[in-house]
Amino acid sequence: MGDWHSTSRSQWRVEFRKRGPHRSRPAVKCYFVEGVGLTCVLVDGLLGPQVTHEGIRLIGRVPSEVSQEMEAYATAHDTGITFSPGGNMVVVGFEIELGAQRAGDAVMTWALFFDTRDIAGSSWDIAPAEVWRHR
């Protein structure tokens, strides 16, 4: 796990895989930082469990539909919207970063749940580089 750039502390990950033919690909990856604990959870769009936040289903969906629901939530709750360095919409206070991965001829959403604590400024500072290459 040597590709984290936000800290010189030791980092590691734990992977969870489904039984059966998809064992080669993790469904969920949890990332930890020494002295801090769990900092990020990456849920795969193809194999990961469905996760809902504030009534919005996040995993394995068409990205534009999730973005529309997140924008509607932000408007209804007078919450701000920002965009990540990767161009993904982020609802202020959610601490969730969405990405997309191919599923045949379609794309599906994956989600990174993060807690920057006081060791990082954003999801891009706390998550290892492998997260941003997730496909």
Side-chain angles (χ1 to χ4, degrees):
M1 296 302 312
D3 59 355
W4 262 317
H5 53 82
S6 63
T7 178
S8 61
R9 302 175 194 206
S10 296
Q11 306 96 21
W12 67 96
R13 76 169 175 248
V14 176
E15 297 179 350
F16 297 90
R17 299 172 189 272
K18 289 185 172 185
R19 294 178 189 241
H22 302 290
R23 289 187 59 103
S24 64
R25 181 183 185 100
V28 176
K29 293 180 183 178
C30 299
Y31 298 93
F32 299 83
V33 173
E34 176 185 14
V36 177
L38 179 65
T39 56
C40 299
V41 176
L42 176 65
V43 181
D44 186 77
L46 302 173
L47 299 175
Q50 184 54 254
V51 179
T52 302
H53 183 71
E54 297 294 341
I56 303 169
R57 290 184 321 109
L58 300 172
I59 307 302
R61 298 197 48 214
V62 175
S64 61
E65 291 175 0
V66 179
S67 293
Q68 288 172 354
E69 290 180 24
M70 290 176 73
E71 185 175 0
Y73 176 90
T75 300
H77 293 87
D78 198 25
T79 304
I81 294 175
T82 62
F83 290 87
S84 73
N88 298 310
M89 181 191 314
V90 178
V91 175
V92 174
F94 270 21
E95 294 187 323
I96 300 169
E97 176 101 29
L98 296 176
Q101 65 191 90
R102 288 187 58 100
D105 291 335
V107 292
M108 300 178 132
T109 53
W110 55 260
L112 176 73
F113 301 88
F114 62 92
D115 185 352
T116 58
R117 313 267 173 106
D118 56 353
I119 66 168
S122 72
S123 61
W124 283 70
D125 297 329
I126 195 77
E130 73 177 33
V131 167
W132 312 118
R133 295 186 301 264
H134 187 74
R135 305 275 181 245

